[in-house]
């Protein structure tokens, strides 16, 4: 369970999406709004970066949070 260490040191922040978050994500990327929503929520919690293997789906989200491959952190 790779998440255990994060919970142990309060490294996980629970965030709730709002209607505004969803609308913002749809404006950023109508075709990949679910991915944009992740970026919106990461920005909302002041995340340092968002890890993904699918960087192309986050085009347009760079102003919200740094998008990186896991091996690049």
């Amino acid at each position: 369970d790779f998440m255990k260490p994060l919970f142990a040191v309060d490294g996980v922040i629970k965030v709730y999406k709002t209607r505004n978050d969803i609308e913002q994500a749809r404006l950023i990327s109508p075709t990949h709004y679910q991915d944009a929503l992740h970026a919106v929520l990461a920005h909302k919690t002041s995340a340092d970066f968002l890890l993904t293997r699918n960087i192309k789906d986050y085009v347009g989200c760079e102003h919200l949070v740094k998008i990186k491959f896991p091996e690049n952190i």
Side-chain angles (χ1 to χ4, degrees):
D1 190 33
F2 75 96
M3 295 289 284
K4 268 188 183 175
L6 294 174
F7 283 105
V9 295
D10 295 329
V12 173
I13 300 169
K14 193 170 191 177
V15 61
Y16 296 94
K17 66 184 176 202
T18 65
R19 189 173 306 224
N20 278 347
D21 297 332
I22 295 168
E23 289 172 7
Q24 182 182 2
R26 286 187 185 274
L27 287 174
I28 293 169
S29 180
T31 56
H32 294 286
Y33 85 92
Q34 298 94 338
D35 295 314
L37 180 59
H38 286 134
V40 168
L41 296 176
H43 175 74
K44 190 174 177 176
T45 61
S46 301
D48 293 325
F49 44 82
L50 191 149
L51 300 178
T52 183
R53 291 250 171 247
N54 208 5
I55 287 181
K56 65 180 173 54
D57 287 348
Y58 289 91
V59 170
C61 299
E62 302 86 359
H63 66 287
L64 296 170
V65 65
K66 294 176 191 168
I67 312 295
K68 296 184 173 240
F69 287 112
E71 59 271 16
N72 291 346
I73 59 168

